[in-house]
Amino acid sequence: QVQLVESGGGSVQAGGSLRLSCSASGDPSSRNSMGWFRQAPGKEREGVAAVPWLGTIIYAESLKGRFTISKDNAKNILYLQMNNLKPEDTAMYYCAAARALVVGLEARQYDYWGRGTQVTVSS
């Protein structure tokens, strides 16, 4: 089993920044790859960024340049640095983990999910 706990969400004005954290615990072999997703009210969950065990970091094309994903393997924490936030970034942000060594940004590729942390950006 894997446990994922997100933190760092909040309310900011447009142009501001937030750093989300995801603390991971449990079977290391079940969380080889990790990623961030988000879901806005009335919309489908979408992939934001991922750190595959094999391969390079992946970003949603529309978020490149503003969001940065990183991972501290010693602390088992996944981060998402979000800069120049826009009202359309308002969503619940979820951390996800996968047993697979290669993943993309499709939710079905991930096996474990956190409960999410809310990000609200006002104009």
Side-chain angles (χ1 to χ4, degrees), residues 24-94:
S25 60
D27 181 15
S29 66
S30 294
R31 43 185 172 91
N32 291 312
S33 301
M34 298 188 70
W36 286 99
F37 289 75
R38 68 183 185 183
Q39 187 167 18
K43 295 188 176 181
E44 292 186 357
R45 189 168 298 191
E46 64 171 341
V48 173
V51 183
W53 184 260
L54 296 176
T56 59
I57 288 175
I58 304 167
Y59 291 97
E61 197 64 32
S62 62
L63 300 175
K64 281 184 179 178
R66 293 195 300 122
F67 287 17
T68 303
I69 191 171
S70 62
K71 190 178 176 188
D72 186 329
N73 289 321
K75 296 181 179 179
N76 293 318
I77 299 177
L78 182 73
Y79 298 102
L80 183 68
Q81 177 68 42
M82 306 185 295
N83 297 327
N84 190 22
L85 283 161
K86 304 176 181 181
E88 52 263 42
D89 295 319
T90 295
M92 184 72 79
Y93 283 71
Y94 297 92

